[in-house]
Amino acid sequence: MPPERLPPVQPAYVLRGHTSQIHALCFAHNNSRLFTGDAQGWVVSWSLAYKRPTVVWRPHDSTVLGLSVWGTDRVITHGRDSKLLIWKLAITDEENLDRSLPVDNATENCKTPEIIHALTVNTLNFCSFAWCGDDHDNTLPQVLSKETGAPYHILIAVPSLLDSDGIDIFKLPSEKRTSTIPADKTVKTGMVMVLALHSQTCKLRLIAGYESGHTIVYGNNLPENKWRKLYSAQPHSQPILSLAPSPSFDYYLTSSADAVIAKHPLLSADTAVDPDTKPLKLSNTKHAGQQGLSMRSDGKIYATAGWDARVHVYSAKTMKELVVLKWHKEGLTHRRPTLWKLQGLIRAMMGVSKFKL
């Protein structure tokens, strides 16, 4: 007898506040806050307990490409205005800052967090930054802050200022560029579209997705600071739109403007390069234009946001579709968040100018 069909999944809550499409989001402070950034450069910090804004400001003059938190008192914002900014913002700072939403005609003259670092970066690619802690550099008294538990030094990867096919690596708080990965000379990759960066015991791995449909993994054994190619494949016929490493960082997924989701090996930074290494698995989803790949923290499921205005949820093991979430009327595009409560679990997905809990 077939199993009983569950009713369609409905949003548990809808948050409204932006007047333009949402392009980036980030959970913070043990999931008590959600940061969202929109196409007009506004960022909102939401209290997930009260479903209300706690801080609203406009860090950028153009689309917000990426958001992240560095410890408990710093927020990283990346805009299409060629700026990557680090703001001082702890929960204790919220009461002194503005919380008027864009939908309520918030003004740019509102009281904003303090900028503590600023980088000029290349945003021609529409590619958001990637970052990780630098566990090699212990030139400061301690690697981790006692107050926040965050690394004193972090590395940030962005498309190169001189060549949109290359990648620049910056270090904070020094704001210095520490290395550049030039464009691959063996294949024509086109521009960098998406990045991920990971550090473990002085070994760096950087994953890049390109305009040509190629994906390349680079490794760097610190302190020698020399990048080398560990893996290269072209599983997609169209530009790669998103990628997601597994929580254990032993494989990663890529999605593209085509209908393919690909699963790739993630080799150690000191692994000998094997040019015959292939993707672990290719899945033709029949749904072109899947973006915003997001994998749950237990690594069992992942989800994508589709141009068909649906969120598709898949099994990480079989790569088979498990459920389709439908709520939006418009196609879902790059880094637009939605939160869905699915069988008791909250999963980060994608949305438009409003999003769901």
Side-chain angles (χ1 to χ4, degrees), residues 265-286:
L266 200 42
L267 306 176
S268 170
D270 51 10
T271 301
V273 180
D274 182 356
D276 296 325
T277 304
K278 305 295 182 185
L280 300 174
K281 192 172 184 178
L282 301 179
S283 174
N284 186 349
T285 66
K286 312 295 184 185

Side-chain angles (χ1 to χ4, degrees), residues 46 60 181-182 208 245 253 298 302 352:
W46 301 88
H60 299 284
I181 302 174
L253 303 171
D298 61 6
Y302 63 89
V352 281

Side-chain angles (χ1 to χ4, degrees), residues 114-128:
E114 175 190 356
I115 296 177
I116 54 178
H117 297 291
L119 296 175
T120 298
V121 296
N122 174 14
T123 53
L124 175 66
N125 306 29
F126 287 88
C127 174
S128 181

Side-chain angles (χ1 to χ4, degrees), residues 92 154 232:
T92 53
I154 67 170
S232 177

Side-chain angles (χ1 to χ4, degrees), residues 37-55:
D38 69 23
Q40 294 180 341
W42 288 93
V43 170
V44 178
S45 168
W46 301 88
S47 165
L48 293 182
Y50 298 103
K51 316 297 190 298
R52 294 289 184 270
T54 62
V55 181

Side-chain angles (χ1 to χ4, degrees), residues 37-349:
D38 69 23
Q40 294 180 341
W42 288 93
V43 170
V44 178
S45 168
W46 301 88
S47 165
L48 293 182
Y50 298 103
K51 316 297 190 298
R52 294 289 184 270
T54 62
V55 181
V56 181
W57 81 106
R58 193 183 184 197
H60 299 284
D61 297 329
S62 188
T63 301
V64 177
L65 295 176
L67 291 168
S68 192
V69 290
W70 175 7
T72 59
D73 62 350
R74 284 161 289 184
V75 177
I76 307 173
T77 67
H78 182 194
R80 272 282 286 159
D81 54 3
S82 300
K83 296 177 182 178
L84 192 148
L85 305 173
I86 289 79
W87 306 80
K88 183 182 181 300
L89 179 57
I91 288 181
T92 53
D93 298 322
E94 294 176 344
E95 61 183 19
N96 300 317
L97 301 173
D98 199 281
R99 61 186 65 181
S100 299
L101 288 163
V103 74
D104 297 324
N105 298 316
T107 67
E108 297 182 39
N109 297 323
C110 60
K111 191 172 182 180
T112 68
E114 175 190 356
I115 296 177
I116 54 178
H117 297 291
L119 296 175
T120 298
V121 296
N122 174 14
T123 53
L124 175 66
N125 306 29
F126 287 88
C127 174
S128 181
F129 71 99
W131 77 280
C132 70
D134 181 8
D135 59 7
H136 164 255
D137 194 330
N138 58 2
T139 56
L140 288 181
Q142 57 202 45
V143 176
L144 296 179
S145 164
K146 289 182 179 179
E147 291 78 15
T148 68
Y152 271 119
H153 301 264
I154 67 170
L155 299 173
I156 289 182
V158 289
S160 175
L161 278 167
L162 301 178
D163 181 1
S164 293
D165 300 359
I167 301 164
D168 284 339
I169 312 295
F170 290 89
K171 178 181 285 190
L172 293 176
S174 69
E175 300 183 13
K176 293 181 179 179
R177 184 171 57 193
T178 61
S179 59
T180 296
I181 302 174
D184 195 303
K185 292 181 170 47
T186 62
V187 293
K188 187 173 178 59
T189 62
M191 293 192 301
V192 179
M193 302 295 292
V194 61
L195 294 166
L197 185 61
H198 180 257
S199 175
Q200 186 176 20
T201 59
C202 298
K203 295 177 182 179
L204 295 173
R205 284 176 292 179
L206 187 146
I207 312 169
Y210 293 90
E211 185 181 13
S212 63
H214 283 85
T215 178
I216 299 177
V217 180
Y218 301 93
N220 188 335
N221 288 328
L222 298 172
E224 62 187 39
N225 198 26
K226 292 182 179 179
W227 292 94
R228 65 193 187 95
K229 185 164 63 174
L230 304 177
Y231 169 79
S232 177
Q234 188 182 17
H236 302 283
S237 60
Q238 299 292 327
I240 292 179
L241 303 178
S242 64
L243 62 83
S246 68
S248 56
F249 227 77
D250 56 351
Y251 72 89
Y252 69 101
L253 303 171
T254 56
S255 70
S256 166
D258 61 23
V260 171
I261 295 178
K263 184 177 183 179
H264 308 269
L266 200 42
L267 306 176
S268 170
D270 51 10
T271 301
V273 180
D274 182 356
D276 296 325
T277 304
K278 305 295 182 185
L280 300 174
K281 192 172 184 178
L282 301 179
S283 174
N284 186 349
T285 66
K286 312 295 184 185
H287 310 295
Q290 298 207 58
Q291 305 184 222
L293 266 169
S294 180
M295 189 171 294
R296 202 170 65 182
S297 58
D298 61 6
K300 292 183 177 181
I301 62 171
Y302 63 89
T304 66
W307 293 352
D308 59 1
R310 289 167 171 79
V311 174
H312 300 266
V313 183
Y314 299 89
S315 163
K317 182 177 181 179
T318 66
M319 300 186 72
K320 291 183 178 179
E321 190 173 86
L322 301 176
V323 67
V324 178
L325 307 180
K326 181 181 179 182
W327 189 81
H328 294 291
K329 305 267 189 306
E330 302 175 19
L332 308 183
T333 57
H334 184 57
R335 298 184 182 274
R336 299 175 186 173
T338 300
L339 299 177
W340 287 84
K341 187 174 182 182
L342 180 59
Q343 298 175 355
L345 300 172
I346 294 180
R347 302 163 183 188
M349 311 301 183

